[in-house]
Amino acid sequence: MSESTGEAPTPNGGVLAVLKRLDDGLSLVERQLLGWSIVLMAVNTVANVIMRLGFSSSIFFSEELNQFLIILVTFVGISEAARMGRHIRMSAFTDMLGPKSSKVMMIIITLGTAALLFLLAWYSIGYVSSLIQSNRLTPALRIPYYFTVLIVPFGLTVTGIQFVFAAATNIFKPGTHLSYQVEDTFSDADDHHL
C-alpha cells in the first residue's frame, strides 16, 4: 500500500487513467455549457424585466429562450450531478449491507442505471428524428424545434457514461464509490455488518 496516497496500486491503473482523461474533457465541456447557459438566462431575464418596466414591452423571444436554456441546464446538469455523486439514491438498504456487499450492489446499480440512461438516450434520438421530419419551428425564434431538444440525447448519454465510470471505479479501485470522483464512506459501526 502506498503511504503517500493511501491507495494500493491497481493493475488496471491504465483503465482508470483513460477514464480520468475522458472525464476531465467531459467535465470541461459540461461546466462551460452550464456556466454560459446560466449567465445567458440571467442576462435574458434581467433584460426582459427592464424592457417590461421601462418600455412596457417584453422581449418577444425571452420566455422561449429561457425554456431552451432550462432544458440544456437540466440535461447537462444531471451528468455533473452524477460525476459529483450528488444524484438521488435510496441508500437505506445498501447501508445495512456493509462496505463489501454495498460495493457489489453499487456496481449492479451503476451498470443498471447506465443501461437505462442509454436506453432513454436511444429513445430520445428517435424523438429528435421525428421532430426533424416534422419540420416544426419554434413560435418566437422560428428555429427548427429539434434544436431545442438536441441536448437531451447528449445529456442522457454523458450521464450514462458517468455511471459506467462509477462502475469501473468500483471494479478497479478499493472502496465503494458513488462516482468516479466520490467515494462512499462508512462508519466503524457499519463494518460489523459484514
Side-chain angles (χ1 to χ4, degrees):
M1 179 177 276
S2 171
E3 293 297 321
S4 61
T5 63
E7 295 178 6
T10 61
N12 296 306
V15 171
L16 294 178
V18 170
L19 291 181
K20 176 157 180 32
R21 282 195 299 275
L22 287 170
D23 187 52
D24 289 346
L26 286 173
S27 179
L28 179 66
V29 170
E30 290 168 6
R31 288 176 187 218
Q32 290 295 316
L33 283 171
L34 288 170
W36 286 109
S37 294
I38 291 169
V39 167
L40 188 54
M41 272 196 298
V43 168
N44 180 40
T45 302
V46 169
N48 197 36
V49 168
I50 291 170
M51 288 294 292
R52 255 189 285 134
L53 294 176
F55 301 99
S56 298
S57 173
S58 292
I59 300 172
F60 73 97
F61 61 83
S62 183
E63 184 179 340
E64 190 172 284
L65 179 60
N66 275 353
Q67 287 174 354
F68 303 156
L69 292 170
I70 287 170
I71 292 170
L72 190 146
V73 167
T74 299
F75 284 94
V76 173
I78 59 173
S79 178
E80 185 65 21
R83 173 180 292 104
M84 302 310 294
R86 303 276 176 152
H87 46 81
I88 295 173
R89 61 190 185 103
M90 305 305 255
S91 62
F93 178 69
T94 56
D95 287 349
M96 289 188 303
L97 296 175
K100 290 180 182 176
S101 299
S102 180
K103 181 180 183 87
V104 171
M105 285 300 296
M106 188 61 71
I107 292 168
I108 293 168
I109 290 167
T110 53
L111 288 175
T113 303
L116 178 62
L117 287 163
F118 292 140
L119 179 65
L120 290 172
W122 175 258
Y123 284 130
S124 68
I125 290 169
Y127 178 66
V128 170
S129 297
S130 71
L131 288 176
I132 290 170
Q133 294 171 358
S134 74
N135 291 323
R136 285 178 52 198
L137 299 176
T138 60
L141 293 172
R142 307 301 296 164
I143 60 172
Y145 192 76
Y146 69 88
F147 280 159
T148 67
V149 292
L150 276 176
I151 199 68
V152 174
F154 171 79
L156 292 169
T157 301
V158 173
T159 306
I161 290 169
Q162 286 302 319
F163 281 100
V164 170
F165 287 176
T169 304
N170 279 302
I171 292 168
F172 296 123
K173 255 179 134 174
T176 302
H177 299 267
L178 300 176
S179 73
Y180 178 76
Q181 297 183 4
V182 180
E183 184 172 1
D184 200 1
T185 56
F186 292 92
S187 68
D188 291 336
D190 292 332
D191 293 336
H192 301 300
H193 290 102
L194 296 175

